[in-house]
Amino acid sequence: MKNFMSRLALLAGMLAMLVLFIGVSASAQDPRLPPTFGTANLRSPFAPDPYMVKVVAGGPIYTTRAGVSGYVANAPDFRVNYVAGRLPLAFYVRSEANTPLFINLPDGTWFAYEGPNPMLRLTNPASGQYDIWVGTAGPNPAPAVLHVTELR
């Protein structure tokens, strides 16, 4: 009985740590915070296109979203308030570093892409708020340029 209770206590401790880890991971990126590098209010079709903003990719938080891992800040790097038209919408990053791209869409869905110069293209984008994080594969920050475009 003592061995059973010890195992049960160990299992309960491991479960508590797992719940804590999942809770911390899920709240690592907070779209309610103000973006670090600003906000763009874009109405389709917008100019200049592409819209570009310099950011510092990465941050102190290791996260995994939509099967992609990387280091990010808690607050979004950039926010786009978008009024859709008939054109597609794309987000892409240019950097010397490996920069995972994390985007929280207006409906709360997360998309993420990794690798050098990642890109997300939406053929039928929704109007609303897009919160964008440009991460890094490792713990060191890196300069990057985020592009928002309707061009093909």
Side-chain angles (χ1 to χ4, degrees):
M1 183 69 163
K2 182 178 179 183
N3 192 16
F4 174 75
M5 294 304 284
S6 294
R7 286 184 180 185
L8 186 60
L10 178 62
L11 183 60
M14 289 172 47
L15 183 59
M17 288 179 67
L18 180 62
V19 168
L20 179 62
F21 174 75
I22 291 170
V24 169
S25 177
S27 65
Q29 294 161 276
D30 190 347
R32 297 171 297 178
L33 294 174
T36 304
F37 298 99
T39 299
N41 298 311
L42 302 176
R43 175 182 290 277
S44 182
F46 59 84
D49 190 350
Y51 185 94
M52 297 183 285
V53 62
K54 292 179 182 179
V55 301
V56 176
I61 300 167
Y62 182 78
T63 190
T64 299
R65 293 271 185 194
V68 173
S69 299
Y71 289 85
V72 296
N74 195 26
D77 289 312
F78 196 69
R79 176 171 292 144
V80 173
N81 295 315
Y82 181 68
V83 178
R86 289 189 253 166
L87 297 172
L89 180 66
F91 301 88
Y92 63 96
V93 177
R94 295 294 178 254
S95 177
E96 296 292 320
N98 185 347
T99 52
L101 177 63
F102 301 91
I103 301 178
N104 188 356
L105 301 180
D107 68 359
T109 302
W110 284 89
F111 277 94
Y113 291 89
E114 62 186 330
N117 304 318
M119 178 179 190
L120 168 65
R121 184 173 180 81
L122 303 166
T123 56
N124 189 20
S127 293
Q129 180 176 304
Y130 291 78
D131 290 302
I132 302 129
W133 286 259
V134 180
T136 52
N140 297 325
V145 179
L146 172 68
H147 298 76
V148 183
T149 184
E150 294 176 316
L151 300 174
R152 297 198 183 265

